[in-house]
Amino acid sequence: MFAGTADWPLNIHNIAKAARQHCWRQHRQLSTWSPLGTAFNAPPTKRINFTRNEVGLFLMPELRNADGFHLLRENVENSTQELIAEAVSSERKRKMVDIFDELSDSLCKVADLAEFVRIAHPQNKYMQAAEQACISICGVVESLNTHKPLYQALSKVVCDGDLMPTTEVDRHVAKLFLFDFEQCGIHLPEKERLRVVRLNDYILQLGQKFMNGAAQPTVLPRSCVPEDIRDYFPTSGENIIITGLCTNAANVQMREAAYRLYLQPSDSQEELLKDLLICRYELARSCGFETYAHRALNGSTMEKPELVREFIDELSEQLRPRADADFAVMTQMKRKESGQNTALVEIWDTPYFTSQLKRQSLEEQANEFLPYFSLGGCMEGLDNLLHSLYGVRLQNTEMEPGESWHSDIYKLAVMHETEGLLGYIYCDFFERAGKPNQDCHFTIQGGKRLPDGSYQLPIVVVMLGLAQPRWTGPTLLSPARLDNLFHEMGHAMHSMLARTEYQHVTGTRCATDFAEVPSVLMEYFASDPRVLRTFARHFQTHKPISEDMLQRLCASKHLFAASETQLQVFYSALDQVYHGEAAKQGKSTTETLRDVQNCYYGLPYVDNTAWQLRFSHLVGYGAKYYAYLISKTIASWIWQTYFEANPFNRQAGEKYRAEILAHGGAVPSQKLVANFLQRDLTPRILADSLIHEIDMDESKIRELIVSRN
């Protein structure tokens, strides 16, 4: 009776394997997905390498193994010296901007690649080699930033003109290179230059420490936490650990306790933030700017902080009654839920009641939309949309051995119906151990015109954190995940559709407050019922999503839009105030927070809290947090003008590509947008555009709720 036991596990394995294969074969036979949709709905296939001849990461022969980073570093260091010699030579034969862009391109090809591999590669030897490459390239850049002859050669060309004929784009890009140079103070007397170098180093250290502190949990002795709320949070010995805001907790006491305890003031964080703001102010003054905000906004769409403040104030004024109406609805919901007629909505309540309204008024059930948004279906919908707008197709492409950093990567060739291959998008979509939990877009190689007239194709990576597909079915996306997919693919297509002369300004390499416009615009397509109807089908039955579900889904994305926008206005205003004259006035950052909140937000400041000490965006987006609001506003305006009537309009898509996407940062973004929309970008017009969208969405939501009651 024991004769066959040794084979038992193997038999089970074979049966399970056969079942999986049968399941997927059956799925493919029943499937009406396109080849692209079918590919993304199946687990990525791991190619068996019989030849062992690996091509290297991203088809770079040097990166057949991790040691290749050393060779890349040596090559770029040598080419840097050659290009410096050419730039400062009296016998120079090329435009100065051509030399600088080649210098930038050679550095970026290694630095951008190494930064991605450092973050995403699962093998330590690659991560460590990439980190060393990053450090090495930083050293090269630092040496360039102190190279006076190189700076003087570029400065002379910018001020007096080049020896060779130049275009307006040439001159604009040369000015961008010069501005980058001067951020390190190379144009200053040596004593001041060294001060700028020290300030930059100190700002980097302060930022890293502040971000680390912002992510730390609040740890309090049990004796300091009221007895009736101790059980809401985990403990460690005699301490209570609060790891974040419990925004969606049904228990109001838990929401309030988490808010008050997690956001308690911290002397160390306060000191770090004050020092960071003061150093940034001093840095800006040393470089000839009135404030750090003036320095940060130089060359941006809004150009100067005075215009940002005017936009924020205009938007705030129009939002106030609309946000107050949102808070009144939330207050009524809270009173009904709590049974207390005097209850008021508080700042810790807003996410919870937004979720409640989705469930109560729109009857949204947890995960009810998931089966209609398989990853393959979403990619198919995206492909069809891009084809309608730009004549572009996404083709799943088999990779060579050693080309990718993991077995679950897809590679898309972006093919135009007349122009041919535009570039490559590597899709690193699935979660895995050690992979960063963030959705983002990485440029591996920027596009640029080459000396022989051909085009250096852009190569990018889109990284998401989706669940792995299983043999029982494909990866399914929530509405929020769908938005993120379209958002990040918007960045990728900005890189693919740009056709700039210079890689320094290709695709997303443009002003911060413009870089998000193409990605946010894609979210409008992902929220339009006409677009969703083209691909929202049940992954098993292929039955289209019902009209009722579709309308509820789209409406749910705009609930309490006024109060949510007001919150973003408040954050943006706080960021601007911190990086303006307030940096030198000596007030605590919490005093400033309270004053700004009382002016720009409809819910009051909560005593003895310091939310700003958790606001890590102050490090990476110093004086630029407003950029999301501006990008959202411009994207909204573009949508209303060109795509709201017909989201598949090929004429509008071609115009958008030709007049916006194709230029990257080669043309000042304010000029691009003003020409495209045929209106000046005044703060009033920008605010009016966003308010119009909020009002229209609110009207649609009311109609839908009324129709359901």
Side-chain angles (χ1 to χ4, degrees):
M1 66 179 289
F2 297 105
T5 52
D7 293 331
W8 177 251
L10 183 62
N11 291 341
I12 288 292
H13 173 76
N14 289 340
I15 291 169
K17 182 178 179 182
R20 286 197 297 271
Q21 292 172 342
H22 173 73
C23 178
W24 278 111
R25 280 198 300 270
Q26 189 177 49
H27 172 70
R28 290 191 179 101
Q29 288 166 4
L30 295 173
S31 175
T32 58
W33 302 119
S34 66
L36 180 73
T38 301
F40 276 84
N41 267 350
T45 55
K46 185 174 182 179
R47 183 179 179 185
I48 300 174
N49 182 7
F50 294 106
T51 65
R52 305 303 302 166
N53 294 324
E54 297 199 343
V55 296
L57 283 176
F58 296 104
L59 296 177
M60 297 184 69
E62 298 91 341
L63 294 182
R64 291 191 179 101
N65 57 63
D67 294 337
F69 273 109
H70 181 73
L71 181 58
L72 291 177
R73 286 159 47 193
E74 281 190 343
N75 290 343
V76 76
E77 287 167 4
N78 292 334
S79 64
T80 296
Q81 294 306 314
E82 293 172 3
L83 290 166
I84 291 173
E86 182 183 3
V88 300
S89 171
S90 58
E91 300 178 358
R92 175 169 55 88
K93 298 293 193 295
R94 290 194 291 166
K95 289 185 286 190
M96 185 66 75
V97 69
D98 286 342
I99 299 170
F100 264 79
D101 193 66
E102 186 176 340
L103 181 58
S104 173
D105 186 42
S106 62
L107 290 167
C108 286
K109 280 179 179 175
V110 179
D112 292 342
L113 169 68
E115 178 62 16
F116 171 74
V117 172
R118 183 184 72 83
I119 290 171
H121 205 288
Q123 295 180 25
N124 280 331
K125 59 183 179 181
Y126 272 96
M127 294 171 67
Q128 291 167 3
E131 185 166 7
Q132 286 303 310
C134 288
I135 294 170
S136 177
I137 297 301
C138 282
V140 174
V141 172
E142 285 176 10
S143 69
L144 290 174
N145 289 337
T146 60
H147 200 295
K148 282 283 182 87
L150 185 63
Y151 166 73
Q152 290 163 351
L154 176 62
S155 181
K156 187 176 190 309
V157 165
V158 170
C159 296
D160 303 335
D162 206 337
L163 300 172
M164 293 80 178
T166 56
T167 65
E168 186 177 349
V169 169
D170 294 337
R171 294 187 288 275
H172 173 65
V173 175
K175 287 178 181 177
L176 293 177
F177 278 122
L178 187 67
F179 179 71
D180 289 345
F181 236 137
E182 293 179 348
Q183 294 313 290
C184 298
I186 194 170
H187 59 303
L188 301 174
E190 187 63 9
K191 185 177 179 181
E192 275 296 297
R193 187 191 71 78
L194 291 174
R195 182 169 182 269
V196 166
V197 171
R198 287 195 298 272
L199 282 169
N200 272 318
D201 288 344
Y202 194 36
I203 286 167
L204 182 62
Q205 294 172 33
L206 288 168
Q208 290 172 340
K209 290 178 181 178
F210 180 80
M211 288 185 68
N212 183 58
Q216 295 302 310
T218 296
V219 181
L220 297 169
R222 289 177 62 87
S223 58
C224 294
V225 179
E227 191 173 346
D228 59 336
I229 62 173
R230 288 177 189 168
D231 292 340
Y232 295 149
F233 308 106
T235 60
S236 177
E238 289 301 308
N239 293 324
I240 302 289
I241 314 294
I242 302 96
T243 57
L245 301 174
C246 303
T247 52
N248 287 313
N251 187 315
V252 65
Q253 282 185 302
M254 185 175 181
R255 296 198 300 270
E256 178 179 354
Y259 188 91
R260 291 184 182 276
L261 296 176
Y262 187 64
L263 299 181
Q264 280 193 353
S266 161
D267 290 341
S268 59
Q269 282 292 96
E270 171 68 20
E271 185 178 354
L272 286 170
L273 181 54
K274 283 197 73 172
D275 286 351
L276 176 66
L277 298 176
I278 290 169
C279 287
R280 282 176 168 174
Y281 179 80
E282 293 297 330
L283 175 67
R285 298 292 289 181
S286 294
C287 292
F289 293 96
E290 187 177 337
T291 68
Y292 186 81
H294 286 84
R295 177 182 184 268
L297 268 66
N298 188 65
S300 67
T301 306
M302 295 303 284
E303 296 184 332
K304 52 187 179 180
E306 291 80 7
L307 287 177
V308 173
R309 186 64 175 265
E310 193 178 333
F311 166 69
I312 287 172
D313 287 346
E314 182 65 45
L315 191 54
S316 177
E317 185 69 23
Q318 296 194 53
L319 278 172
R320 187 167 296 279
R322 294 166 171 84
D324 286 347
D326 284 354
F327 295 135
V329 172
M330 293 184 206
T331 293
Q332 291 303 315
M333 293 176 69
K334 187 173 183 179
R335 289 175 178 176
K336 182 178 180 181
E337 182 177 281
S338 66
Q340 299 176 7
N341 293 332
T342 59
L344 295 173
V345 70
E346 302 286 356
I347 198 166
W348 49 77
D349 293 323
T350 53
Y352 171 73
F353 285 111
T354 301
S355 299
Q356 286 298 97
L357 188 63
K358 288 181 181 180
R359 283 195 287 269
Q360 294 173 10
S361 298
L362 300 178
E363 299 177 15
E364 181 180 316
Q365 304 299 316
N367 300 328
E368 69 168 319
F369 301 116
L370 279 178
Y372 294 91
F373 295 105
S374 65
L375 176 58
C378 295
M379 292 302 295
E380 182 178 305
L382 189 60
D383 180 52
N384 289 332
L385 176 65
L386 295 174
H387 185 256
S388 296
L389 293 174
Y390 312 117
V392 162
R393 286 292 187 192
L394 305 176
Q395 294 184 2
N396 186 44
T397 304
E398 187 174 356
M399 282 181 282
E400 297 296 324
E403 182 179 350
S404 74
W405 51 102
H406 198 270
S407 61
D408 63 5
I409 312 300
Y410 298 93
K411 180 183 180 181
L412 298 177
V414 182
M415 302 294 297
H416 190 274
E417 58 192 18
T418 59
E419 298 171 36
L421 180 63
L422 297 183
Y424 292 105
I425 303 171
Y426 289 83
C427 300
D428 188 348
F429 282 177
F430 304 115
E431 59 188 2
R432 61 176 177 270
K435 179 181 172 181
N437 183 26
Q438 58 185 17
D439 296 343
C440 48
H441 159 270
F442 294 87
T443 298
I444 304 300
Q445 176 173 281
K448 64 171 290 182
R449 187 69 56 194
L450 297 173
D452 63 2
S454 62
Y455 200 78
Q456 176 174 288
L457 296 178
I459 300 171
V460 305
V461 175
V462 171
M463 181 185 284
L464 303 176
L466 305 177
Q468 286 274 357
R470 304 187 183 280
W471 69 272
T472 53
T475 296
L476 304 177
L477 276 63
S478 66
R481 288 289 196 184
L482 172 65
D483 288 345
N484 289 354
L485 171 64
F486 272 60
H487 181 101
E488 298 305 335
M489 289 298 289
H491 283 310
M493 293 311 299
H494 195 182
S495 297
M496 295 297 113
L497 294 171
R499 279 302 178 264
T500 55
E501 291 293 311
Y502 303 111
Q503 69 80 37
H504 189 65
V505 290
T506 192
T508 56
R509 290 173 177 167
C510 55
T512 304
D513 58 0
F514 181 68
E516 293 294 323
V517 170
S519 53
V520 173
L521 181 62
M522 285 300 292
E523 293 182 41
Y524 282 85
F525 289 97
S527 302
D528 189 280
R530 295 163 295 183
V531 175
L532 296 181
R533 280 191 202 101
T534 66
F535 66 90
R537 305 196 299 278
H538 198 284
F539 77 98
Q540 290 173 320
T541 66
H542 293 272
K543 182 180 178 181
I545 191 170
S546 71
E547 195 62 24
D548 174 67
M549 288 181 68
L550 192 60
Q551 295 302 326
R552 287 190 289 114
L553 167 60
C554 294
S556 70
K557 296 184 179 184
H558 306 296
L559 290 174
F560 296 138
S563 54
E564 176 57 33
T565 304
Q566 188 187 57
L567 186 63
Q568 294 301 316
V569 167
F570 159 46
Y571 293 167
S572 301
L574 182 66
D575 179 43
Q576 287 296 302
V577 171
Y578 278 157
H579 291 97
E581 293 289 341
K584 65 174 184 178
Q585 291 173 0
K587 292 169 66 176
S588 76
T589 64
T590 301
E591 288 178 284
T592 302
L593 168 73
R594 184 190 59 230
D595 294 344
V596 174
Q597 183 165 341
N598 290 339
C599 181
Y600 288 97
Y601 194 50
L603 297 179
Y605 165 75
V606 179
D607 289 338
N608 200 38
T609 62
W611 168 83
Q612 80 285 2
L613 302 182
R614 300 279 187 184
F615 192 23
S616 58
H617 283 87
L618 288 171
V619 176
Y621 290 89
K624 294 181 180 180
Y625 189 83
Y626 80 93
Y628 173 78
L629 263 181
I630 287 294
S631 294
K632 165 80 172 171
T633 302
I634 294 172
S636 172
W637 196 357
I638 290 174
W639 172 260
Q640 292 173 44
T641 305
Y642 287 100
F643 299 108
E644 189 171 39
N646 177 8
F648 308 104
N649 188 323
R650 179 64 174 270
Q651 186 177 0
E654 294 287 5
K655 181 178 174 65
Y656 174 59
R657 182 195 178 189
E659 298 185 19
I660 296 287
L661 297 178
H663 299 283
V667 178
S669 53
Q670 186 181 65
K671 182 178 180 181
L672 275 184
V673 177
N675 288 343
F676 185 59
L677 293 170
Q678 294 295 298
R679 292 190 74 179
D680 292 333
L681 298 188
T682 67
R684 177 61 185 269
I685 290 174
L686 287 167
D688 286 348
S689 174
L690 195 54
I691 291 295
H692 174 73
E693 179 194 316
I694 290 171
D695 286 347
M696 293 300 294
D697 287 339
E698 177 64 23
S699 176
K700 292 175 184 176
I701 291 170
R702 279 200 304 268
E703 289 176 7
L704 181 60
I705 292 176
V706 168
S707 70
R708 299 184 61 79
N709 294 331

